[in-house]
Amino acid sequence: AVLGPERVVIGVAGGFGASMIGPGHARHEGMELIRLGEMQGPITPRLEAIAKVWSYAGFKVKCFDDIHQLIWEKLICNGTFSASCTLTGLTVGGVLDNDDAWSVASNCAREGYAVARAKGINLSFDDPVAYVHAFGDKLRDGRPSMWQDLDAGRLSEIDTINGGIAAAGREAGVPTPVNDVVIALVRAREAERGIR
């Protein structure tokens, strides 16, 4: 609203994971791809110039015409693992390997996929469960930032991640009962710790 959407470039980091081990000590997992796109559409010379800066810094980077597709693809992955890891205390791989945790996580993915489709988002996959499983397999030791926030006594991104899926679902008329439950449970844990 301040800058105008024609001036906004969006970046989506894919296949990255990091956690703070201690002061000045970060643990980094994965370094797949930085995806860049104009908020309002196709690749521009300005976007390509920004991509070159990232590339010169050692990142694998690619420009896209439809950044909103990539935002939703990442949101579905984050919605799958962030709350499920936070609530169970399991790593991403732990959620994948635990039938009960995976049942909750994979249903969050199914709901996110249904909402994205209802909104007309053109996703690059037809099987959300296979997609998020392949994503999670690359970051098996990962501890999502939502878990790290709760552990550190900070307010998490639950309202933006799973809450974003649920809000978009309400707008599109798509029910999101599993996401609604994990949202309520993460908020309850935050309230119990005096964060919320």
Side-chain angles (χ1 to χ4, degrees):
V2 173
L3 299 175
E6 71 280 359
R7 293 187 184 95
V8 177
V9 169
I10 299 173
V12 178
F16 285 77
S19 57
M20 295 303 296
I21 304 302
H25 184 187
R27 177 179 164 187
H28 185 261
E29 305 207 21
M31 189 168 165
E32 189 176 308
L33 180 65
I34 297 291
R35 298 163 174 93
L36 297 174
E38 294 281 354
M39 185 172 185
Q40 290 190 319
I43 297 169
T44 62
R46 165 181 85 152
L47 187 67
E48 290 173 334
I50 293 169
K52 283 182 183 177
V53 172
W54 280 87
S55 182
Y56 292 150
F59 290 89
K60 183 178 175 188
V61 61
K62 186 174 178 184
C63 296
F64 291 84
D65 286 321
D66 183 5
I67 197 70
H68 299 284
Q69 168 194 343
L70 304 173
I71 291 169
W72 269 92
E73 288 178 359
K74 181 168 183 172
L75 179 61
I76 291 168
C77 289
N78 286 348
T80 300
F81 293 107
S82 292
S84 59
C85 289
T86 300
L87 292 169
T88 62
L90 297 170
T91 62
V92 170
V95 168
L96 289 171
D97 296 337
N98 181 293
D99 290 342
D100 293 320
W102 180 239
S103 173
V104 172
S106 62
N107 278 305
C108 285
R110 286 183 183 97
E111 291 176 5
Y113 178 84
V115 170
R117 286 294 195 202
K119 290 180 59 62
I121 303 295
N122 182 29
L123 300 171
S124 66
F125 55 88
D126 293 323
D127 183 344
V129 175
Y131 182 79
V132 297
H133 197 286
F135 169 84
D137 259 340
K138 296 176 189 173
L139 301 167
R140 293 188 66 86
D141 293 330
R143 293 178 45 186
S145 60
M146 188 181 295
W147 177 18
Q148 295 177 50
D149 287 338
L150 185 69
D151 193 45
R154 297 184 299 259
L155 199 61
S156 77
E157 299 170 296
I158 190 66
D159 294 328
T160 303
I161 298 175
N162 300 82
I165 291 170
R170 285 189 297 276
E171 290 171 8
V174 176
T176 57
V178 178
N179 278 281
D180 293 340
V181 168
V182 299
I183 293 163
L185 292 174
V186 170
R187 287 176 179 168
R189 290 202 65 199
E190 290 174 342
E192 175 208 5
R193 294 184 180 201
I195 302 167
R196 182 169 290 272

